[in-house]
Amino acid sequence: MNKSSLYFLDFYIPNNGEHESAIEVAVLRWEPMDKRPSVYIHSFITPAHPNRIKWKEVLKMGISKEMILERQNPTLLELISSLFLKEKNVVLFNPPVEPYASFSRDALSVQSITSLWSEVFARDEEGSKIDTVSNMLKYLGLEEEDTSDTKYTQLLVRLHSMVAIWYYLTQIKNKQNNINLEIEKCTVWPLKKRDMYLSTFDYNAFDSMSTSAIYTLFSQDLPDYLDWNKLCIYSHDWVFNRKAKPLIEPLNGKLTMANYIYNKVLKGAVRLWVVICYALYDKKLSQARDVALNRSEDLNLLPDSIKEDFTNFIVLHLDDFLSDHQKIAIVRSMVSHTLQDRGDRSFEEFDFDVLYRDYKKNSVDSPYIFNSIAVNSNNHNKCFKEIRDHKMSVLYRRYEVSGDENDRYECLDKVRELFQDFVREVKKPLSSYWISDELQCWLQYFTGFTFEEIKRPPTQNDTPELINVRNTLTEIIKEFGSYYSLELREKLSCIFEELQKSQETHFVRRFVFQGISIEVVFNRNKVSFFKKLLRF
């Protein structure tokens, strides 16, 4: 953490003296060496008692009642508990009272502008009496009103002026201690008028944006071009307390997917917004500028460090940037290709007995998990053998009917039961038979829900969004999986009929179902004369 950074905090509280009526909070992060501060926190707040809010006063600030009550804004207590200012150097206008005190309780330091003002102008009778932002600006010879055409909320405008006041107070204080120091002009206030070209630019025409405009937009002036009545920021995110997403390292084809979505699926304005979010929330301003200058060219043309980082950013926020229609179209394509790819795989040889024997003999970690089932009367006669990986995905299954007539009868009965279990398991659309580990990972990024949430049985607490995702995914898998499911049932039925009627001494049937190598073995053992006698 940069210890020299200052965090300017302010609230909009429409009901004077009632801190629980706060409906907006903002924090500007300012490094004194920077020309402009950045917006670190900006959020509207759901008030504890909406009926007590003076909504007519709120409307004068450009904030409608609907903006506060119809959005999913956090409460004041939720914001306070997030500790956004932990170990930060905080600047307030007045010494801390509620809710300022609670919001900054874990700060490294808390200073106030009024205290510094009193210190600097202690010997100035007129100046020492000033205690409002507008009068301070006037006394310092600065503009009292914002005449720019930016779309900051009035709270954010006030915070910019507070930064300017603090800047000049520290400059004056330093000059009092060293008369030779020059007071440098502040670049924070007044707010600048926006570039005319960018102010009227159609963001749908992102590909045709001039190079100079890109340099202007992706600079420290970027916040000036955003509508903060519609925008929130919580340090590095635009969603308050977003659920942690799984690591993206296991995902294959990230660059291909990101490239396809960024250049083929997203339209100009949305593509530009992706780059703006990358700059604003991931704090990658110069990298975002390089992406914007790349226009809609292949992401492979970007420098390696930017290419990987921007790719990860896109993947992390797929559920944010894609419309529901786009998500469904891509998920349908992914499911179709995954099922086809796994259905076309060749049979892979696994010698269960050798692998299991080596595992037991050498007592070493195995990449496999072994499972077997024996008939009731003969523990050595294994009618089912299975190998899974450590993610519990099935790799290999062997069904075997062998032994003498009695053993074969028992095996046949058990294999019938296991075939029926297999068919029942396959009827579950969200099972691992249909959704590979890789597809699970991708689905979590497209939907915003973990796969555990998607596949678990429905509950009364499920959100409408989760229910919709679960139902949509179920229908997609049923649609594309029906062919493979029917093929499996028919194949198992034919093989079982063959097991019942076969007069052969030995046969083996092999096939692949969704990447699982399946082997069905029939062995007719001859029964010795003495064993036949023992049966009487």
Side-chain angles (χ1 to χ4, degrees):
M1 182 185 73
N2 191 338
K3 298 293 185 181
S4 65
S5 297
L6 297 175
Y7 294 79
F8 290 77
L9 165 66
D10 205 1
F11 285 89
Y12 171 47
I13 304 174
N15 298 19
N16 288 332
E18 298 180 22
H19 73 269
E20 66 276 8
S21 72
I23 60 170
E24 185 184 6
V25 60
V27 177
L28 293 186
R29 179 186 180 276
W30 185 53
E31 168 62 47
M33 297 300 293
D34 291 342
K35 293 182 177 179
R36 300 289 306 278
S38 60
V39 184
Y40 179 69
I41 301 291
H42 178 250
S43 178
F44 295 106
I45 303 170
T46 299
H49 306 289
N51 293 334
R52 295 179 58 180
I53 301 298
K54 298 178 180 178
W55 292 111
K56 289 184 178 180
E57 295 299 316
V58 172
L59 192 59
K60 294 177 183 178
M61 298 288 287
I63 301 173
S64 68
K65 187 175 182 180
E66 291 70 28
M67 288 169 58
I68 303 301
L69 300 183
E70 294 183 5
R71 296 180 184 176
Q72 292 183 332
N73 300 310
T75 65
L76 179 59
L77 290 178
E78 287 173 333
L79 287 162
I80 288 172
S81 65
S82 296
L83 304 179
F84 286 116
L85 297 179
K86 185 176 181 179
E87 298 184 3
K88 303 289 194 294
N89 294 306
V90 178
V91 178
L92 312 174
F93 185 71
N94 288 307
V97 293
E98 292 300 340
Y100 300 86
S102 294
F103 204 87
S104 59
R105 67 189 178 205
D106 292 290
L108 190 64
S109 68
V110 179
Q111 306 171 78
S112 75
I113 290 174
T114 53
S115 296
L116 182 57
W117 182 276
S118 296
E119 181 184 349
V120 169
F121 294 106
R123 298 180 181 180
D124 183 333
E125 184 178 352
E126 180 184 0
S128 62
K129 296 177 181 178
I130 295 173
D131 59 0
T132 65
V133 170
S134 59
N135 286 337
M136 286 181 181
L137 290 171
K138 183 178 180 181
Y139 198 74
L140 292 171
L142 301 175
E143 292 185 21
E144 299 174 55
E145 301 292 333
D146 171 38
T147 57
S148 70
D149 57 349
T150 61
K151 293 185 179 180
Y152 288 110
T153 64
Q154 290 193 39
L155 180 66
L156 283 166
V157 170
R158 171 183 159 92
L159 270 169
H160 278 86
S161 67
M162 284 167 53
V163 174
I165 292 169
W166 180 267
Y167 171 81
Y168 280 114
L169 287 177
T170 54
Q171 289 275 305
I172 295 169
K173 182 178 177 180
N174 291 337
K175 187 172 178 62
Q176 288 173 345
N177 295 327
N178 186 347
I179 197 170
N180 294 321
L181 288 177
E182 292 293 329
I183 296 180
E184 298 181 8
K185 185 178 180 181
C186 178
T187 56
V188 176
W189 184 267
L191 293 172
K192 298 188 299 183
K193 289 189 178 295
R194 299 185 299 172
D195 179 85
M196 184 60 70
Y197 172 82
L198 282 174
S199 298
T200 58
F201 183 76
D202 179 6
Y203 283 3
N204 285 305
F206 174 38
D207 295 343
S208 64
M209 182 181 286
S210 69
T211 298
S212 62
I214 288 175
Y215 273 97
T216 300
L217 182 62
F218 290 96
S219 67
Q220 288 191 337
D221 296 338
L222 174 62
D224 294 353
Y225 294 90
L226 306 178
D227 186 351
W228 289 95
N229 281 300
K230 301 176 181 178
L231 208 57
C232 289
I233 180 170
Y234 305 96
S235 180
H236 286 76
D237 207 341
W238 56 92
V239 176
F240 179 73
N241 275 357
R242 187 195 294 269
K243 291 184 300 182
K245 295 190 177 182
L247 296 174
I248 63 176
E249 281 75 3
L251 292 176
N252 294 321
K254 288 186 294 184
L255 178 59
T256 302
M257 177 66 78
N259 219 348
Y260 171 73
I261 289 172
Y262 181 71
N263 286 312
K264 303 296 182 183
V265 177
L266 301 179
K267 303 304 180 185
V270 180
R271 196 160 62 246
L272 176 58
W273 183 244
V274 171
V275 186
I276 288 173
C277 288
Y278 182 51
L280 189 67
Y281 297 102
D282 242 32
K283 318 300 182 188
K284 303 290 176 58
L285 185 60
S286 63
Q287 295 91 326
R289 185 189 308 121
D290 287 343
V291 173
L293 290 169
N294 191 53
R295 301 303 199 285
S296 60
E297 296 295 328
D298 192 332
L299 296 182
N300 279 298
L301 300 177
L302 293 169
D304 288 344
S305 59
I306 300 177
K307 176 172 58 182
E308 181 178 1
D309 195 58
F310 185 59
T311 292
N312 288 342
F313 177 78
I314 291 176
V315 171
L316 276 169
H317 296 290
L318 287 174
D319 60 312
D320 295 304
F321 298 135
L322 293 170
S323 67
D324 289 342
H325 176 75
Q326 290 169 331
K327 291 175 192 175
I328 291 172
I330 295 174
V331 169
R332 282 176 59 84
S333 177
M334 291 183 70
V335 169
S336 174
H337 282 88
T338 298
L339 298 188
Q340 183 176 347
D341 174 69
R342 298 210 300 176
D344 291 344
R345 289 179 189 175
S346 301
F347 183 90
E348 186 176 355
E349 296 276 358
F350 287 92
D351 193 322
F352 181 99
D353 296 331
V354 171
L355 291 170
Y356 186 68
R357 188 164 52 247
D358 288 346
Y359 164 65
K360 285 294 187 180
K361 180 180 178 181
N362 299 321
S363 296
V364 295
D365 290 337
S366 171
Y368 306 121
I369 296 172
F370 302 92
N371 180 36
S372 63
I373 298 174
V375 295
N376 294 331
S377 63
N378 185 352
N379 193 49
H380 296 290
N381 191 353
K382 308 289 186 183
C383 59
F384 177 74
K385 296 173 181 177
E386 180 184 75
I387 297 176
R388 295 176 180 249
D389 62 20
H390 280 279
K391 293 181 179 179
M392 296 307 293
S393 297
V394 181
L395 304 176
Y396 168 81
R397 277 181 176 171
R398 176 187 174 102
Y399 301 88
E400 184 169 345
V401 174
S402 62
D404 60 23
E405 186 176 352
N406 286 344
D407 283 349
R408 291 199 309 275
Y409 180 80
E410 277 196 79
C411 285
L412 195 62
D413 197 44
K414 192 63 181 177
V415 167
R416 177 197 289 112
E417 181 184 327
L418 292 169
F419 277 7
Q420 290 171 345
D421 289 344
F422 194 1
V423 171
R424 275 195 296 271
E425 291 169 358
V426 165
K427 286 182 178 179
K428 300 174 183 176
L430 302 181
S431 71
S432 60
Y433 293 109
W434 302 113
I435 302 181
S436 64
D437 293 334
E438 183 179 336
L439 183 55
Q440 282 186 31
C441 290
W442 278 113
L443 288 172
Q444 292 176 130
Y445 286 98
F446 279 106
T447 64
F449 294 100
T450 66
F451 193 69
E452 291 300 317
E453 291 175 306
I454 296 172
K455 75 174 184 179
R456 66 169 165 73
T459 69
Q460 291 183 340
N461 295 325
D462 289 344
T463 63
E465 292 78 13
L466 175 57
I467 294 170
N468 183 54
V469 165
R470 186 184 292 134
N471 292 342
T472 301
L473 185 56
T474 296
E475 291 304 314
I476 291 172
I477 292 171
K478 282 182 177 179
E479 177 185 348
F480 290 105
S482 59
Y483 167 80
Y484 302 100
S485 181
L486 178 61
E487 186 180 49
L488 174 68
R489 290 200 301 272
E490 291 176 347
K491 192 161 291 187
L492 292 177
S493 178
C494 290
I495 291 175
F496 188 77
E497 186 176 351
E498 197 174 359
L499 290 171
Q500 286 179 304
K501 298 178 179 180
S502 177
Q503 299 300 313
E504 299 179 47
T505 303
H506 172 81
F507 73 78
V508 178
R509 300 292 178 261
R510 291 173 170 173
F511 65 96
V512 175
F513 173 74
Q514 289 302 301
I516 304 171
S517 296
I518 299 172
E519 192 169 33
V520 183
V521 179
F522 179 85
N523 277 315
R524 184 192 301 273
N525 296 349
K526 291 184 178 181
V527 183
S528 69
F529 176 73
F530 292 105
K531 193 169 184 180
K532 287 181 180 179
L533 286 176
L534 290 172
R535 289 179 176 168
F536 291 97

